[in-house]
Amino acid sequence: MDEASQVDLATGVLAFASAKNIVIVGDLQQLPNVLDDQNIQKSEGIWGRYSLPETYHFTAHSLLSSAIAAWPEAPTVLLREHYRCHPKIINFCNQKFYGGKLIVMTEDHEEPDVLTMYRTAPGNHARGHLNQRQIDVIRQEVLPSLERQGYGSIGIITPYRDQVTAIQTQLGKKLEVATVHKFQGREKDAIVLTSVDNVITDFVDDPRMLNVAVSRAVKSLTVITSQDPQNDRTNYGDLARYIEYNNCAVIESTVYSVFDLLYQGYAEQRRDFLKKHGRVSEYDSENLAYAVIQKILQKAEFSFVDCAAHVSLVNLVKDYSVLTEEETAYARNPLTHVDFLLFRRMDKSPLLAVEVDGAAFHAAGSVQANRDEKKNRIFGQCGIPLLRLRTDGSGEEARIEQALRSAVSNS
């Protein structure tokens, strides 16, 4: 029985019932089988009714761990020779998880960029189990570097399904993206590991999870984490130290956002920034976006463009016949406005609307998200481009400039 750490007791025992001899192959340093809530609830109910040895506790043991506990005298053999990963990659696992017992059979030819760690700019970039900033780093910095190096196969691994879905949606289905659990037993020439958490949790820091993720990489491993100092005390912190010790790259990501200044650690810098650039709103996020817009409008090519804050939709909609009854009522509400409107100075004709969306307030499924969709439709019917800037995104200056240039050329 192979991959026995991922086999549950009930399935394994059924196989045992048909055997005269058993050879069990597995690794306790890799991930155990995953049980859903229904199976856990049922098994714990049975466990509570009967007096069974801990060795046979269904939710606590995989087949492998149960067999080791049940048959302590059974002969065991450590498969020490490792043939998959570059020595610099597997030696981390060897030292950290296997006590140096592995014999690495691959060779180090001093290849560059075998191990790389990117640290995102300080800030609370994660929202639940999704980290947009780490996705931006993958798209803008990591993938271009790996593609230049010509790796035949690239895999992206993350602890959370939400991050998998977001990466596939934004970067396309051609890339192979999966959770650590789904990548066990597989390999890629280059692996990208995104940790997601701002402060790495016990779930993400599980040594078995990190061992599996690292050892999927054959030639190149790239890890993306946050800069929170608390992460230095985790297994990821040990990986960062290992990378530095081996003279490999630990890179401070250059992907940033003006909204990074909303992070509490930047309170003083934010006050100085806003004092210099002025305020047009009670919300710091909008004031930061306005400062970026003003910087863009200083360029000669946009000298004919001006910006107004908090423009009511009733001043923008000229033909209500194209709107539904619900959309009409929403647009005519005097409180309904767009955060910023960029327009031609000479005739006040609108060019581009810009909205600043707080990540928490505008979460999918929220009341505000439904209003956003309504506003999107209204602007679409009015023929005015609408750019949304999420406070957990990045590259706002480039995005606004590109959208404005496109709006000018199409107007």
Side-chain angles (χ1 to χ4, degrees), residues 356-392:
V356 178
D357 296 341
F361 189 54
H362 293 258
S366 65
V367 172
Q368 188 57 47
N370 293 331
R371 292 173 182 163
D372 292 344
E373 286 299 318
K374 201 179 302 180
K375 190 178 290 185
N376 291 346
R377 292 193 299 270
I378 293 171
F379 274 89
Q381 292 290 357
C382 293
I384 303 173
L386 174 61
L387 175 65
R388 291 192 174 276
L389 304 175
R390 285 182 59 88
T391 55
D392 61 350

Side-chain angles (χ1 to χ4, degrees), residues 255-273:
V255 178
Y256 69 95
S257 165
V258 66
F259 300 124
D260 288 344
L261 288 174
L262 295 172
Y263 179 49
Q264 62 182 2
Y266 286 135
E268 185 175 347
Q269 293 95 321
R270 182 172 68 253
R271 284 194 297 269
D272 292 342
F273 182 90

Side-chain angles (χ1 to χ4, degrees), residues 38 61 63 86-87 112 165 186 208 221-222 227 238 250-251 290 321 337 362:
Q38 184 178 8
H61 282 288
L63 175 68
H86 188 282
T165 301
R186 299 160 63 191
R208 297 168 298 180
L221 173 69
T222 303
Q227 283 195 33
D238 284 344
V250 176
I251 299 171
Y290 184 71
S321 66
H337 67 269
H362 293 258

Side-chain angles (χ1 to χ4, degrees), residues 188-362:
K188 291 289 181 183
D189 286 347
I191 286 292
V192 180
L193 172 60
T194 162
S195 61
V196 180
D197 292 341
N198 292 319
V199 176
I200 291 175
T201 58
D202 290 342
F203 171 73
V204 172
D205 201 42
D206 186 325
R208 297 168 298 180
M209 190 179 294
L210 185 58
N211 182 35
V212 169
V214 169
S215 59
R216 300 310 95 197
V218 177
K219 299 177 181 178
S220 169
L221 173 69
T222 303
V223 184
I224 307 167
T225 67
S226 80
Q227 283 195 33
D228 196 291
Q230 296 180 69
N231 293 337
D232 293 340
R233 300 190 293 272
T234 67
N235 292 314
Y236 278 80
D238 284 344
L239 179 55
R241 285 182 280 274
Y242 174 84
I243 291 173
E244 290 179 316
Y245 179 77
N246 282 274
N247 297 316
C248 295
V250 176
I251 299 171
E252 306 298 324
S253 171
T254 59
V255 178
Y256 69 95
S257 165
V258 66
F259 300 124
D260 288 344
L261 288 174
L262 295 172
Y263 179 49
Q264 62 182 2
Y266 286 135
E268 185 175 347
Q269 293 95 321
R270 182 172 68 253
R271 284 194 297 269
D272 292 342
F273 182 90
L274 293 177
K275 184 177 181 181
K276 178 180 177 181
H277 292 86
R279 292 176 175 272
V280 293
S281 169
E282 63 180 301
Y283 300 108
D284 282 351
S285 58
E286 293 182 3
N287 292 317
L288 293 170
Y290 184 71
V292 174
I293 292 172
Q294 290 302 310
K295 179 182 176 181
I296 293 170
L297 297 188
Q298 296 302 313
K299 297 187 177 184
E301 66 174 305
F302 300 127
S303 59
F304 62 92
V305 180
D306 208 342
C307 176
H310 300 162
V311 177
S312 296
L313 263 64
V314 71
N315 295 322
L316 297 175
V317 179
K318 304 303 180 185
D319 181 7
Y320 286 94
S321 66
V322 298
L323 304 183
T324 66
E325 184 177 341
E326 183 182 7
E327 290 166 354
T328 297
Y330 181 68
R332 282 179 166 163
N333 187 325
L335 297 179
T336 303
H337 67 269
V338 64
D339 293 336
F340 302 103
L341 182 71
L342 281 68
F343 57 90
R344 292 181 184 272
R345 188 175 286 120
M346 288 296 102
D347 62 0
K348 305 300 186 288
S349 57
L351 289 168
L352 175 69
V354 178
E355 286 274 270
V356 178
D357 296 341
F361 189 54
H362 293 258

